[in-house]
Amino acid sequence: MFRSKVKALRLLQLGYTLRHTAFCSRLVLGIETSCDDTGAAVLDETGAILGESLHSQKEVHLRTGGIIPTVAQQLHRENIERVVQEALERSGVAPSQLAAVATTVKPGLALSLGVGLEFTRQLVRRHDKPFIPIHHMEAHALTVRMLQPVSFPFLVLLVSGGHSLLAVAQGVDDFLLLGHALDEAPGDTLDKVARRLSLVKHPQCSSLSGGQAIELLARDGDRTKFSFRTPMGQTHDCCFSFAGLRNQITMTIMKKEAEEGVEEGTLLKCVNDIAAAAQHTVAAHLAKRTHRAILFCKANGLLPPSSPTLVLSGGVASNQYIRKALTIVTEMTGLHLICPPAKFCTDNGVMIAWNGVERLREGKGILAPDVDVCYEPRSVYLFTRFILLFF
């Protein structure tokens, strides 16, 4: 999974890892700073959350109309030590009792990842603890295994503000990538539509993220009032594209502003209907591509014939309308849909610690504290194999 330097050092580090963890309880500290949340948690090997802490930057970024990387970096710097200390104190665990520290190193905002990695580097070297670099999307994919028994292999749909992908999880570090976002992620699309609609000015939405505002207003909207074309209807693979859809929505908003005689930045009378139509088309696109992936997996024996599972995770997985659309697909195809609770769909230290626990169990990706690791902001192809699907 971790190529070049990590593979070359694996045999040398194995002896260190076995000697070190033999005398430590299997407690893992997880640290997450890939975007705009500073999270930390301590878990034991059963997945029990002994202590956690999370600092959200949402209110700051709502005021600025989006995430500014330098602002996110500074807020991580100001809060990471406190967040980690709170997680440790709430767990009653001292750094000396940890078996390892797991931290997100890819993908994400470079400046944010750098804060978490540098803090971790100092921590593991100070206390001579193994370091487990974590891929953010792998952590999202495996969180469900902390909550209930889910055996490999299973299909996973990860949807967030920065990513959208379909993959077959075949092991802790073994994933087959079926499709990914070609341009922007669904969460990013919904956030940008919300900004273009100026939903922050809506009395019900001033404290909500863009995606949350769209979901709220869509409940009272009529999606049939606007017809947006579902992307990639003639493309026979499992990838996603949302930029074209956003352009359709933007053109519609401009047209309605002209009809109502208002300037950009003014709330439209039909805002609920546009929100409903936008949300529906995003959900339809996700559902159709997931349906294709399910058919491909069944045709190629990639999922078990008995009780095959689809895991839906990532921040956008909290959207209930999208969950309902995926429920229809899984019921139609005989899959069991599992969605982690909303608090585990968004970024947090718990999922990072759990991924560390799983890797520690299998002895995979565990590094000595003095090994240099670089963060990788654009590590989209996280999985070991990527298959192009045309069927």
Side-chain angles (χ1 to χ4, degrees):
M1 182 57 174
F2 293 95
R3 297 176 176 84
S4 62
K5 182 184 293 185
V6 174
K7 278 192 173 182
L9 291 172
R10 180 168 289 169
L11 290 177
L12 293 175
Q13 293 156 2
L14 181 59
Y16 166 84
T17 301
L18 292 176
R19 290 195 305 274
H20 194 94
T21 57
F23 300 102
C24 292
S25 57
R26 289 186 175 266
L27 303 173
V28 175
L29 168 65
I31 299 175
E32 157 64 20
T33 64
S34 67
C35 190
D36 60 338
D37 290 316
T38 311
V42 178
L43 269 65
D44 67 16
E45 61 184 326
T46 69
I49 303 169
L50 305 182
E52 64 176 313
S53 181
L54 182 69
H55 175 81
S56 174
Q57 304 176 6
K58 185 175 78 171
E59 290 186 9
V60 174
H61 298 304
L62 277 175
R63 292 197 298 269
T64 59
I67 299 172
I68 300 174
T70 52
V71 174
Q73 178 191 44
Q74 183 59 34
L75 291 172
H76 281 306
R77 283 175 173 166
E78 292 173 1
N79 290 283
I80 189 168
E81 184 172 3
R82 174 185 60 80
V83 167
V84 171
Q85 189 60 36
E86 284 179 355
L88 289 169
E89 289 177 356
R90 291 168 183 173
S91 69
V93 172
S96 60
Q97 296 174 285
L98 295 170
V101 179
T103 299
T104 306
V105 299
K106 59 182 177 180
L109 298 177
L111 297 179
S112 294
L113 289 169
V115 174
L117 181 56
E118 182 55 32
F119 182 90
T120 301
R121 190 178 285 133
Q122 295 175 14
L123 182 66
V124 297
R125 291 176 181 177
R126 185 185 315 127
H127 297 283
D128 190 30
K129 295 296 176 180
F131 173 40
I132 307 177
I134 300 296
H135 195 299
H136 181 78
M137 300 309 287
E138 280 189 1
H140 272 304
L142 299 181
T143 300
V144 68
R145 285 168 49 85
M146 178 188 75
L147 304 169
Q148 56 186 289
V150 180
S151 300
F152 297 114
F154 58 87
L155 182 63
V156 58
L157 171 63
L158 303 180
V159 280
S160 68
H163 305 279
S164 181
L165 56 86
L166 278 159
V168 179
Q170 299 177 316
V172 170
D173 66 343
D174 184 11
F175 294 79
L176 177 64
L177 182 60
L178 305 180
H180 62 98
L182 300 176
D183 37 55
E184 62 190 44
D188 188 31
T189 297
L190 293 173
D191 285 344
K192 287 175 178 176
V193 169
R195 284 200 295 273
R196 185 61 183 81
L197 287 169
S198 300
L199 296 190
V200 71
K201 297 180 180 180
H202 195 288
Q204 293 179 277
C205 304
S206 59
S207 63
L208 301 179
S209 68
Q212 291 171 332
I214 292 286
E215 182 177 11
L216 177 65
L217 296 185
R219 292 172 189 164
D220 297 320
D222 182 355
R223 65 174 178 82
T224 64
K225 291 290 183 65
F226 298 96
S227 179
F228 300 126
R229 187 175 62 258
T230 305
M232 303 181 71
Q234 302 302 315
T235 305
H236 298 164
D237 62 23
C238 294
C239 289
F240 305 91
S241 174
F242 293 95
L245 170 60
R246 180 165 58 84
N247 186 57
Q248 290 182 62
I249 299 169
T250 299
M251 296 298 290
T252 297
I253 294 171
M254 292 172 64
K255 180 180 177 182
K256 297 306 294 183
E257 286 170 343
E259 290 178 3
E260 294 186 15
V262 298
E263 296 182 353
E264 180 178 338
T266 304
L267 286 171
L268 292 169
K269 295 176 183 178
C270 58
V271 66
N272 293 62
D273 298 334
I274 293 177
Q279 176 180 255
H280 174 76
T281 311
V282 167
H285 185 38
L286 292 171
K288 288 177 180 179
R289 309 314 274 181
T290 302
H291 186 214
R292 292 185 60 79
I294 291 172
L295 296 179
F296 178 83
C297 289
K298 286 191 169 187
N300 291 275
L302 296 176
L303 296 176
S306 176
S307 300
T309 297
L310 169 66
V311 171
L312 173 64
S313 192
V316 176
S318 302
N319 183 293
Q320 294 302 309
Y321 191 88
I322 290 174
R323 287 193 181 198
K324 184 177 179 180
L326 270 299
T327 299
I328 294 171
V329 171
T330 52
E331 288 179 349
M332 181 175 62
T333 53
L335 268 71
H336 177 46
L337 176 65
I338 301 178
C339 307
K343 70 174 183 177
F344 292 127
C345 286
T346 52
D347 296 347
N348 58 81
V350 172
M351 69 178 191
I352 305 304
W354 173 250
N355 199 210
V357 168
E358 294 235 74
R359 285 181 166 274
L360 190 65
R361 272 194 202 136
E362 298 194 11
K364 294 179 176 179
I366 306 169
L367 309 181
D370 57 346
V371 174
D372 286 327
V373 175
C374 297
Y375 56 81
E376 300 177 43
R378 296 186 177 277
S379 181
V380 178
Y381 297 101
L382 64 160
F383 301 127
T384 48
R385 286 161 292 147
F386 174 45
I387 183 167
L388 286 171
L389 309 183
F390 295 98
F391 64 101

